[in-house]
Amino acid sequence: MQPVFRLAVAQAPADLNSPTDRLDWLRSILPDIANSGADLLLLPELFACGYNIGDAIRTRAEIADGPTFAAIADMAHEAGVAIHYGFAERSEDALYNAALCVSADRTVLCHQRKLVLPPGFEKAYFTPGRGCHLFEYHKLKIATLICYDAEFPETVRHVAQLGADLVLVPTALGSDWSWVAHTMIPTRAYENGVYLAYANSGGVENGSEFLGASVIAAPDGIEVARAGASATIIYGDIDKSRVAAAQKRLPYLKDGLTIDLS
């Protein structure tokens, strides 16, 4: 029998003022997450530095294996939980909206850069990433898409066709985009027969209000867990057999390849 994979999604407080405050908050929640039996913790977009921080993005950006990575890798090791977090990445002369996942043995499982930059401040600071790859952890195939990336049917379909069982989506969704979190994201899970986990912030950061509404959606579109507006932790058990069952019942991935649109 396939063992169940336990996922924790942290809806972090938006008003954590500094990178140190953010690491301290993460350190404070990890004992309870470890005690829950979680295998992996998903944190929001740009968790490590903050999202609505203006030009501070430049000064808070780090190389991928910088001090923030070292601190979070130590926390993952101590808690025995893989940690997936968003950060501003500095690489040569470019900045990227990026995400890393580090395992409990400090191995880098995933390093993903945001593919599509939405209208707004991100285009002034970041360079788009390229490509999307899966990683395997505890016998699950997992993909990462960052916020706006998951709003395109093509991106989620791409990683599903690569074999993803679970798609992790760190986000920074504002309070005026409720339809995305409540309707679009579960639809993406349903139309691809995969689990999709969506980690937002909760509260207000420098005048910008986040929606919250983090969710773990199952391959049949059913919500395994849903957060409200405030900071919280939600949990869901990821059962790979539900992916196979959903894709057998509705073979969108296979039948979509047979459509002749010429």
Side-chain angles (χ1 to χ4, degrees):
M1 181 177 177
Q2 172 71 33
V4 171
F5 182 100
R6 188 150 177 81
L7 176 67
V9 173
Q11 185 162 285
D15 61 353
L16 295 166
N17 289 323
S18 70
T20 299
D21 291 339
R22 290 170 174 273
L23 291 176
D24 287 346
W25 179 82
L26 174 58
R27 192 174 288 108
S28 75
I29 65 170
L30 276 171
D32 284 345
I33 289 170
N35 289 337
S36 79
D39 297 291
L40 187 148
L41 168 65
L42 174 63
L43 291 158
E45 181 178 13
L46 295 179
F47 166 79
C49 59
Y51 184 85
N52 188 37
I53 59 172
D55 215 43
I57 282 282
R58 299 187 192 280
T59 57
R60 294 184 183 183
E62 296 184 12
I63 58 174
D65 59 352
T68 294
F69 170 78
I72 291 179
D74 285 347
M75 288 188 227
H77 181 70
E78 184 176 345
V81 177
I83 301 175
H84 188 291
Y85 67 98
F87 72 110
E89 179 190 357
R90 182 181 302 282
S91 179
E92 297 181 344
D93 294 329
L95 296 182
Y96 297 93
N97 183 336
L100 272 172
C101 186
V102 58
S103 72
D105 66 1
R106 299 188 176 94
T107 298
V108 175
L109 300 172
C110 165
H111 178 197
Q112 180 68 39
R113 293 167 173 170
K114 193 169 185 175
L115 302 172
V116 190
L117 302 178
F121 90 95
E122 290 189 48
K123 288 189 176 182
Y125 292 98
F126 296 121
T127 297
R130 295 184 61 188
C132 203
H133 308 282
L134 306 189
F135 67 96
E136 189 161 338
Y137 194 59
H138 291 203
K139 300 184 179 180
L140 276 184
K141 292 183 178 179
I142 303 172
T144 299
L145 295 170
I146 300 174
C147 192
Y148 194 45
D149 292 345
E151 297 179 29
F152 295 87
E154 297 86 353
T155 54
V156 185
R157 177 57 51 91
H158 173 69
V159 296
Q161 288 179 328
L162 289 176
D165 303 301
L166 169 64
V167 183
L168 302 176
V169 184
T171 189
L173 191 71
S175 60
D176 51 348
W177 296 100
S178 177
W179 190 88
V180 172
H182 287 281
T183 303
M184 180 185 285
I185 292 304
T187 299
R188 290 285 173 270
Y190 177 83
E191 69 192 5
N192 291 287
V194 296
Y195 283 92
L196 197 153
Y198 194 68
N200 200 11
S201 296
V204 178
E205 180 187 35
N206 299 323
S208 180
E209 183 178 1
F210 292 87
L211 179 69
S214 299
V215 66
I216 302 170
D220 52 10
I222 292 172
E223 295 181 4
V224 176
R226 168 74 74 175
S230 302
T232 189
I233 315 296
I234 59 174
Y235 297 92
D237 291 333
I238 309 301
D239 183 350
K240 189 170 181 174
S241 68
R242 288 183 69 178
V243 176
Q247 293 180 359
K248 181 178 180 181
R249 179 172 179 263
L250 286 171
Y252 288 141
L253 301 184
K254 181 179 72 174
D255 288 350
L257 296 173
T258 69
I259 300 171
D260 185 351
L261 297 174
S262 61

